[in-house]
Amino acid sequence: MPELPEVETIARTIAPHVTGRIISAAEVRWARTIASPTARKFAGQVKGQRIIGVSRRAKYLILQLEDYNLLIHLRMSGDLMVRMGKIKAEKHDRLLLALRAEDGRQSHLAFNDTRKFGRVWLTDQPETVLGSLGPEPLGRDFTPQWLYENLRKRRRQLKPLLLDQTFLAGVGNIYADESLHKAKLHPLGLSNSVTKKQAEALHEAIRSVLREGIRRNGASIDWVYRGGEYQNYFRVYDREGKPCPVCGTGIQKLTVGQRGTHICPKCQVIERK
DNA sequence: CTGGCTCCCTGAATGC
DNA sequence: TGCATTCAGGGAGCCA
């Protein structure tokens, strides 16, 4: 499932192939993919728009157009790829944007999404979609002090809080498990009992895990393969029964906040004082 | 404010 | 072999 590093990887991959191109046509192949406006309006409004740039906010991919922002959330199984020349739609393609380069060459930006959870917004007010997101974990606002203070303000289980996009934006199930293991914190630990030292460790863990994810071009798991390699470096995620890389204890899988969660039962203990 | 549950979907895994 | 059932998972929405 694409999280921050995977979306960042996709943004970097497609940017050189789409920037400067003009969207000459849009084919909506699954209407519910378009969150706003309606599928019909979408095609009309996006047609003729030039792509100015590609960026990312949390798990949203942002195509900056002349008059709009095209926001794409890949959710579980979404993927974006550029296909050169004239193409036919492939299985699970939900949206196809025909692109025309300055020299007339044609290509397509395809949004492929097996499970149909992904969504696309075309809007001139991106903050209506992105406005409630928490800070970027790799951004300047996310400091150890900020994390400590905001963990203490709440009384939440650590993992659900890390997954809460209004608290911190971009961390998903994989990187939450990896971060908590690296910081030696239990996913069920309460946010308001975290010490300053633990908050600093968690801050460092989140950043380093996300940075390594980006360095490895993200993780390629399930049937979505993007060439990323981070899945080969998981500490705990999807490693039930395998040894903890720190102490060798068998990794356990449990459910936290209705999410599959992986921990080392020896390294990650809820502290009581 | 918090946590639990359901829904949206498909394909892989499992059961008989 | 084949059919039916179960399940994962991001995020919104609902409820207690």
Side-chain angles (χ1 to χ4, degrees):
Chain A
M1 350 72 261
E3 303 180 23
L4 188 156
E6 289 74 26
V7 178
E8 180 70 26
T9 299
I10 292 170
R12 291 181 186 181
T13 303
I14 68 168
H17 301 289
V18 304
T19 304
R21 310 287 153 109
I22 289 172
I23 300 172
S24 53
E27 182 187 351
V28 179
R29 300 177 57 79
W30 177 254
R32 297 187 63 172
T33 293
I34 310 300
S36 85
T38 63
R40 179 184 291 268
K41 281 187 187 168
F42 174 89
Q45 290 179 5
V46 81
K47 187 176 176 180
Q49 290 284 311
R50 181 186 299 272
I51 300 172
I52 309 296
V54 180
S55 57
R56 176 194 62 73
R57 169 79 170 103
K59 304 176 197 173
Y60 291 83
L61 211 124
I62 303 172
L63 295 191
Q64 188 195 344
L65 309 181
E66 287 166 278
D67 301 326
Y68 303 98
N69 277 233
L70 187 66
L71 309 175
I72 304 171
H73 197 303
L74 303 170
R75 291 279 181 93
M76 298 294 305
S77 58
D79 203 356
L80 276 175
M81 50 270 269
V82 176
R83 305 201 190 117
M84 301 300 174
K86 291 191 173 185
I87 59 144
K88 275 187 184 168
E90 292 185 10
K91 195 176 185 184
H92 305 316
D93 281 349
R94 308 305 180 194
L95 173 65
L96 291 173
L97 298 179
L99 306 181
R100 190 181 66 237
E102 297 278 334
D103 61 7
R105 276 188 305 157
Q106 281 188 43
S107 59
H108 286 79
L109 181 63
F111 174 58
N112 187 282
D113 182 22
T114 305
R115 289 182 181 167
K116 300 181 175 175
F117 287 174
R119 291 292 180 266
V120 174
W121 294 256
L122 182 66
T123 176
D124 55 8
Q125 293 183 309
E127 58 282 6
T128 60
V129 180
L130 309 175
S132 57
L133 290 170
E136 278 293 314
L138 298 178
R140 287 183 188 172
D141 297 343
F142 183 62
T143 62
Q145 184 67 21
W146 182 93
L147 182 60
Y148 176 63
E149 287 171 3
N150 284 277
L151 287 172
R152 303 291 306 201
K153 276 182 195 166
R154 316 258 220 134
R155 186 190 165 83
R156 296 272 310 267
Q157 296 167 347
L158 285 174
K159 179 166 176 188
L161 188 53
L162 290 184
L163 294 179
D164 184 340
Q165 301 297 299
T166 66
F167 180 76
L168 185 63
V171 176
N173 208 36
I174 295 173
Y175 294 91
D177 281 5
E178 295 294 299
S179 299
L180 287 167
H181 177 268
K182 186 159 193 181
K184 297 191 187 312
L185 287 169
H186 195 285
L188 288 171
L190 288 177
S191 61
N192 63 337
S193 65
V194 165
T195 65
K196 187 152 197 184
K197 206 161 190 172
Q198 288 173 326
E200 287 167 0
L202 183 56
H203 175 270
E204 169 57 24
I206 291 168
R207 288 225 194 200
S208 63
V209 157
L210 291 174
R211 285 206 178 103
E212 195 188 349
I214 292 171
R215 191 162 66 80
R216 306 270 181 206
N217 296 314
S220 303
I221 62 167
D222 292 345
W223 53 90
V224 180
Y225 180 76
R226 301 186 182 82
E229 294 187 332
Y230 191 57
Q231 70 278 8
N232 300 322
Y233 301 89
F234 287 161
R235 308 163 65 95
V236 290
Y237 186 82
D238 201 22
R239 294 192 66 243
E240 185 179 11
K242 293 178 181 165
C244 167
V246 175
C247 74
T249 305
I251 300 301
Q252 286 180 1
K253 184 170 183 183
L254 47 147
T255 299
V256 176
Q258 294 78 241
R259 289 287 180 269
T261 299
H262 310 77
I263 63 160
C264 168
K266 191 176 171 195
C267 293
Q268 294 167 271
V269 178
I270 301 178
E271 289 178 31
R272 287 214 138 275
K273 21 169 211 180

